[in-house]
Amino acid sequence: MMFLRSLVVLCFSMFLLSCSSEDATGVETTKPSVVLKSYTHSAFEIELLDLVNQDRVSKGLNALTIISEISYVASTHDDYMISKGIASHDNFEDRAALLRSGLGAISSSENIAAGYNTPASTLAAWNASPTHKANLEGNHTHFGLAVKADAAGVKYYTLMFIRK
């Protein structure tokens, strides 16, 4: 019930216009109280996650570990963007709060996209944007991704990063 309530809040929060990131300071280190669902990645999603890690390693950064529950949270945002017909960072703070509660994230950020047809073109677009590139190169430890298509076949992407 609590998760469904969080999803309702997620669907009606304010519109954010830029790449999102947040850092939680003073977070208690208690056991997470939210249960997040697991997510099964497609080959397309795994290819993009691998490309992100290859890009990070080529820049001297650590490779990130996939957490399927992060991808589940990302998938709920894809559903939201598809329902609105627009790529957005709406409700990022709600997703960040879920990752703090459910996974113990001490910081989080996300990249979103829509309309790209290949993992390589999506990564190239993120690298061409200073704010998205900063998220790609951030001080993260884990990540998750969901890619979903609307009825017309337009792909929506939500890539979420956390530091634990």
Side-chain angles (χ1 to χ4, degrees):
M1 276 300 199
M2 182 68 164
F3 184 73
L4 289 175
R5 185 178 199 162
S6 295
L7 281 178
V8 169
V9 170
L10 183 102
C11 292
F12 293 103
S13 293
M14 295 180 62
F15 178 75
L16 302 174
L17 295 175
S18 64
C19 289
S20 298
S21 78
E22 73 97 52
D23 194 5
T25 56
V27 174
E28 292 183 26
T29 58
T30 58
K31 190 172 184 178
S33 59
V34 174
V35 177
L36 299 175
K37 294 182 181 179
S38 188
Y39 181 86
T40 302
H41 295 97
S42 69
F44 187 93
E45 291 164 332
I46 293 295
E47 182 179 347
L48 181 49
L49 289 165
D50 287 345
L51 286 175
V52 168
N53 267 338
Q54 290 169 21
D55 186 58
R56 286 179 59 85
V57 169
S58 75
K59 296 171 180 171
L61 302 168
N62 63 304
L64 304 176
T65 302
I66 299 168
I67 296 181
S68 69
E69 290 83 358
I70 298 172
S71 300
Y72 173 76
V73 173
S75 77
T76 65
H77 187 55
D78 285 350
D79 292 337
Y80 173 84
M81 292 190 295
I82 289 168
S83 76
K84 297 295 182 183
I86 189 167
S88 75
H89 289 284
D90 287 2
N91 315 308
F92 170 73
E93 293 301 325
D94 295 331
R95 289 185 296 287
L98 284 173
L99 296 174
R100 277 193 309 273
S101 296
L103 296 174
I106 59 173
S107 67
S108 57
S109 60
E110 73 179 9
N111 285 354
I112 55 97
Y116 297 95
N117 292 318
T118 67
S121 65
T122 307
L123 181 60
W126 283 333
N127 269 313
S129 161
T131 52
H132 289 96
K133 183 176 179 162
N135 284 341
L136 289 170
E137 297 174 0
N139 184 20
H140 312 299
T141 57
H142 299 83
F143 65 162
L145 168 75
V147 180
K148 293 186 176 183
D150 67 9
V154 175
K155 289 182 176 73
Y156 288 80
Y157 300 74
T158 303
L159 174 61
M160 301 195 74
F161 305 94
I162 69 167
R163 183 166 42 95
K164 288 179 80 168

